């Protein structure tokens, strides 16, 4: 088969996975409010660290914010942004494998595995996903530099690799740091073989310069307070004991991939020197083992949601399949088809869920009934709110939003809304501006700390906010600060309580109104009964 045939096959494989979310009604995803909030604030011109605090860089929100500017601030725009991000991830992976001269059959089958195990699960932008995509882009540029001899061309590719390594770090620190260390390891390895240090110096120097230039504009604000590099009040999320527990008590699939890679290396190379001198095989093995190990680490540092760590499958698969003796077969087609069927069987969990729902294939055996279990909420869309196009929420949540929409002051100019809930899109729907000098999100000891809790409680005591939404999530130890809720119950008037848009359906959103504002509208309604 010619190379162009593989391009067409790769295109046919990836397109359905990429565009499928555009034609589906998607349930409101847990924590998707964070993607919305950051993108919306950037799209309206708010400045990170000056107008709002966050414990990481802003690169995660750059593409969603751009799509908000192009298509408008809706959840469908977030889905479109993710379609673009997924496309970039596939192109980067494909480019990495071709740069390392992996066999085309292996690459095409690897793309299918990547779509089945990673793309299929990621319909929404999320930082644990975006950071891996940026890392893949950086690795593509890095491996591209290995394929050129001309110094000027190599420098350009290394500079681009450094740029996206910095972007990766300013998306999420742990993956960014791992990506930079992996790139340096590969560059040092090549430098020792080629007796050439310039690529290492070029890459490292570019990363440092880009990192400093990126951070400098924000140093005049509270960047060094907010950006988490392990300083108080932040805490390091890397726990050696927890990491050992994660690795030794679980991670069965990851460890199996690593073990198979090492076994195949032992069987394929007579000596370590022979393996080290095989530049492409060594680089592929190093990247694969590192990406698998990275998935184990990030499973500990960012445990939720879980679907953003499954990228390791494709690296384990590609590295193992690259050892197959394709040259021994008269035709590659038959073994490729056999492997294709095995791939569809082994990695069936993602697509079978959708196939079984479409074909209504469900077990006749009924699950054990739970006494007094609440009836699951009905999830539906709402045409009343343009931001929610193609998105479903619990009926109770929509009714609660409707009740907020009926508040007589909801469209007041300069309305101050403290929204400690997952329905942050109300800012667009009701036309108020998200508060500045507040955290981007209110996750205790992650996105905010005791200092911010005390400041908010003081504002609550002084009736600073006109409207406050507070979400209670019993299944989490303390996501939103309960100290604030205690202050609200003391100084504000409770107005309503309704179901939060979470699939577990154990969370609720409480609405509180400024008592001064309530008295003002109450006196108006007493003087004019029509109000």
């Amino acid at each position: 088969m010619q190379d162009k045939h593989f391009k067409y096959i790769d295109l046919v494989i990836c397109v359905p996975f990429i565009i499928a979310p555009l034609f589906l009604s998607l349930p409101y995803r847990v924590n998707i409010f964070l993607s919305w909030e950051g993108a919306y604030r950037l799209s309206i011109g708010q400045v990170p660290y000056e107008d709002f605090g966050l414990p990481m860089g802003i690169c995660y929100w750059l593409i969603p914010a751009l799509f908000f500017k192009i298509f408008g601030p809706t959840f469908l725009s977030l889905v479109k942004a993710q379609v673009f991000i997924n496309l970039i991830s596939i192109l980067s992976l494909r480019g990495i494998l071709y740069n390392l001269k992996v066999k085309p059959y292996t690459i095409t089958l690897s793309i299918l595995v990547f779509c089945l195990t990673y793309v299929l699960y990621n319909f929404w932008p999320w930082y644990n996903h975006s950071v891996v995509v940026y890392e893949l882009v950086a690795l593509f540029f890095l491996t591209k530099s290995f394929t050129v001899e001309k110094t000027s061309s190599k420098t350009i590719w290394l500079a681009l690799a450094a740029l996206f390594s910095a972007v990766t770090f300013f998306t999420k620190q742990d993956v960014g740091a791992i990506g930079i260390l992996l790139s340096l390891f590969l560059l040092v390895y090549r430098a020792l073989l080629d007796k050439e240090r310039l690529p290492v110096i070029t890459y490292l120097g570019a990363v440092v310069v880009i990192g400093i230039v990126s951070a400098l504009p924000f140093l005049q604000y509270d960047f060094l307070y907010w950006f988490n590099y392990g300083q108080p009040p932040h805490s390091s999320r890397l726990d050696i004991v927890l990491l050992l527990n994660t690795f030794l008590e679980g991670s069965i699939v990851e460890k199996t991939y690593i073990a198979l890679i090492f076994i195949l290396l032992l069987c394929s190379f007579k000596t370590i020197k022979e393996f080290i001198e095989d530049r492409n095989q060594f680089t592929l093995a190093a990247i694969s083992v590192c990406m698998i190990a990275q998935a184990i680490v990030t499973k500990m540092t960012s445990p939720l949601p879980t679907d953003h760590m499954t990228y390791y499958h494709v690296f384990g698969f590609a590295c193992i399949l690259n050892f197959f003796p394709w040259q021994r077969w008269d035709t590659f087609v038959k073994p490729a088809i056999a492997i294709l069927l095995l791939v569809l069987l082994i990695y069936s969990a993602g697509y079978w869920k959708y196939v079984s729902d479409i074909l209504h294939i469900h077990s006749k055996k009924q699950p054990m009934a739970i006494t007094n279990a609440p009836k699951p909420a009905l999830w539906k869309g709402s045409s009343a709110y343009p931001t929610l196009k193609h998105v479903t929420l619990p009926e109770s949540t929509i009714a609660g939003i409707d009740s907020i929409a009926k508040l007589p002051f909801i469209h007041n100019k300069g309305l101050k809304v403290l929204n400690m809930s997952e329905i942050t899109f109300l800012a667009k729907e009701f036309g108020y501006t998200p508060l500045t000098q507040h955290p981007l999100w209110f996750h205790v000891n992650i996105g905010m700390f005791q200092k911010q809790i005390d400041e908010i409680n003081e504002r609550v005591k002084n009736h600073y906010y006109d409207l406050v939404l507070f979400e209670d999530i019993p299944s989490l130890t303390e996501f939103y600060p309960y100290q604030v809720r205690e202050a609200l119950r003391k100084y504000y008037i409770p107005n309503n309580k309704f179901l939060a848009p979470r699939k577990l359906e154990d969370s609720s959103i409480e609405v509180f109104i400024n008592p001064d504002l309530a008295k003002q509208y109450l006196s108006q309604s007493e003087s004019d009964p029509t109000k």
Side-chain angles (χ1 to χ4, degrees):
M1 295 177 69
Q2 299 176 15
D3 286 345
K4 66 178 182 179
H5 292 151
F6 288 101
K7 292 179 181 178
Y8 298 143
I9 294 171
D10 295 348
L11 185 67
V12 169
I13 288 173
C14 70
V15 165
F17 290 96
I18 292 173
I19 67 173
L22 297 174
F23 303 98
L24 301 174
S25 290
L26 302 172
Y28 198 88
R29 180 155 188 170
V30 170
N31 294 334
I32 194 60
F33 76 93
L34 183 54
S35 300
W36 167 279
E37 184 74 359
Y40 185 65
R41 284 177 178 264
L42 290 180
S43 70
I44 63 175
Q46 291 193 3
V47 179
Y49 313 108
E50 178 187 16
D51 293 323
F52 59 89
L54 67 161
M56 49 204 269
I58 65 169
C59 294
Y60 154 51
W61 290 279
L62 293 180
I63 293 176
L66 176 62
F67 274 71
F68 270 18
K69 295 295 285 186
I70 297 172
F71 300 105
T74 68
F75 283 98
L76 185 57
S77 296
L78 287 182
V79 174
K80 291 176 181 177
Q82 186 61 23
V83 168
F84 176 73
I85 293 170
N86 282 337
L87 174 62
I88 295 300
S89 70
I90 294 172
L91 292 175
S92 300
L93 172 69
R94 188 178 186 274
I96 291 168
L97 297 179
Y98 268 104
N99 288 340
L100 298 178
K101 295 180 171 55
V102 175
K103 298 173 182 68
Y105 279 99
T106 298
I107 295 174
T108 296
L109 290 167
S110 297
I111 289 173
L112 177 60
V113 170
F114 189 62
C115 290
L116 288 171
T117 59
Y118 198 53
V119 176
L120 184 62
Y121 293 97
N122 291 289
F123 290 170
W124 298 103
W126 188 244
Y127 58 78
N128 280 334
H129 178 272
S130 296
V131 70
V132 174
V133 176
Y134 290 138
E135 183 182 27
L136 291 178
V137 175
L139 288 173
F140 165 73
F141 288 130
L142 182 74
T143 54
K144 187 66 178 177
S145 74
F146 299 156
T147 67
V148 297
E149 297 295 334
K150 194 175 178 181
T151 303
S152 59
S153 299
K154 187 181 288 289
T155 301
I156 292 172
W157 292 120
L158 286 171
L160 288 170
L163 171 62
F164 277 91
S165 293
V167 168
T168 303
F169 183 75
F170 286 117
T171 299
K172 194 163 181 285
Q173 292 91 315
D174 52 359
V175 174
I178 292 172
I180 292 171
L181 291 174
L182 171 61
S183 298
L184 285 172
F185 171 78
L186 293 175
L187 285 168
V188 170
Y189 156 72
R190 295 260 174 168
L192 293 173
L193 289 181
D194 301 333
K195 310 298 182 183
E196 186 182 7
R197 294 176 292 178
L198 184 59
V200 180
I201 297 170
T202 300
Y203 172 81
L204 183 58
V207 168
V208 172
V209 170
I210 294 170
I212 293 173
V213 170
S214 300
L216 274 177
F218 302 107
L219 292 181
Q220 59 183 310
Y221 310 125
D222 285 336
F223 176 80
L224 295 178
Y225 171 86
W226 281 109
F227 190 80
N228 182 4
Y229 51 92
Q231 83 284 16
H234 302 270
S235 57
S236 174
R237 304 184 77 175
L238 183 61
D239 185 314
I240 300 300
V241 175
L242 183 57
L243 180 60
L244 286 173
N245 290 339
T246 302
F247 181 74
L248 296 175
E249 294 181 2
S251 307
I252 301 298
V253 178
E254 294 94 322
K255 289 186 290 189
T256 301
Y257 279 130
I258 293 174
L260 286 173
I261 290 171
F262 276 103
I263 290 171
L264 289 170
L265 287 174
L266 290 172
C267 296
S268 301
F269 295 95
K270 294 179 181 180
T271 63
I272 295 177
K273 181 181 178 182
E274 182 185 351
F275 168 56
I276 291 175
E277 290 178 347
D278 189 334
R279 287 170 168 78
N280 289 328
Q281 187 61 67
F282 182 92
T283 303
L284 177 62
I287 291 175
S288 298
V289 171
C290 181
M291 295 299 283
I292 295 169
Q294 176 181 283
I296 298 173
V297 172
T298 52
K299 190 189 297 184
M300 178 201 69
T301 57
S302 299
L304 295 173
T306 57
D307 297 335
H308 301 288
M309 316 303 174
T310 53
Y311 55 84
Y312 67 85
H313 285 291
V314 69
F315 289 98
F317 177 84
C319 191
I320 291 169
L321 200 62
N322 198 48
F323 287 101
F324 274 49
W326 297 96
Q327 67 278 4
R328 294 185 182 179
W329 291 306
D330 295 331
T331 173
F332 296 162
V333 177
K334 290 181 180 179
I337 291 174
I339 296 171
L340 170 63
L341 295 175
L342 287 173
V343 165
L344 293 174
L345 179 63
I346 294 170
Y347 304 104
S348 59
Y351 72 81
W352 178 248
K353 175 184 176 181
Y354 295 99
V355 171
S356 60
D357 286 343
I358 293 171
L359 300 179
H360 303 288
I361 302 174
H362 300 289
S363 174
K364 294 182 180 179
K365 185 177 180 180
Q366 298 296 323
M368 185 179 296
I370 301 176
T371 308
N372 299 325
K375 186 179 179 181
L378 174 65
W379 287 59
K380 66 177 188 178
S382 175
S383 58
Y385 305 105
T387 57
L388 294 176
K389 185 178 181 181
H390 286 284
V391 176
T392 60
L393 287 85
E395 197 171 31
S396 170
T397 306
I398 296 173
I401 296 171
D402 291 341
S403 69
I404 295 173
K406 294 175 183 177
L407 293 172
F409 55 82
I410 195 62
H411 294 290
N412 282 7
K413 187 176 181 180
L415 188 72
K416 297 184 181 69
V417 179
L418 176 63
N419 194 340
M420 287 187 167
S421 78
E422 295 183 79
I423 52 175
T424 52
F425 60 89
L426 297 187
K428 172 61 179 174
E429 293 293 351
F430 297 146
Y432 65 83
T433 302
L435 294 170
T436 59
Q437 307 305 312
H438 282 71
L440 178 63
W441 81 102
F442 301 96
H443 189 171
V444 176
N445 293 328
I446 301 294
M448 70 180 307
F449 306 95
Q450 190 60 47
K451 178 177 181 287
Q452 288 74 44
I453 294 174
D454 293 340
E455 290 172 352
I456 290 173
N457 280 344
E458 186 64 24
R459 291 183 178 122
V460 168
K461 182 180 178 180
N462 295 328
H463 297 172
Y464 175 80
Y465 307 107
D466 299 316
L467 179 69
V468 181
L469 277 66
F470 185 92
E471 184 169 341
D472 177 24
I473 310 177
S475 56
L476 299 179
T477 304
E478 185 176 25
F479 192 96
Y480 295 103
Y482 287 115
Q483 293 178 48
V484 173
R485 184 172 68 169
E486 292 172 5
L488 288 167
R489 288 178 173 177
K490 183 176 180 180
Y491 297 108
Y492 273 58
I493 298 174
N495 170 261
N496 196 6
K497 183 178 180 179
F498 53 88
L499 191 66
R502 284 183 157 246
K503 274 297 183 181
L504 191 57
E505 297 181 1
D506 67 335
S507 307
S508 58
I509 296 173
E510 300 175 43
V511 181
F512 295 89
I513 295 176
N514 185 315
D516 300 332
L517 198 61
K519 290 176 183 177
Q520 175 187 338
Y521 278 90
L522 182 61
S523 62
Q524 289 181 9
S525 63
E526 288 176 346
S527 60
D528 184 358
T530 61
K531 295 184 178 181

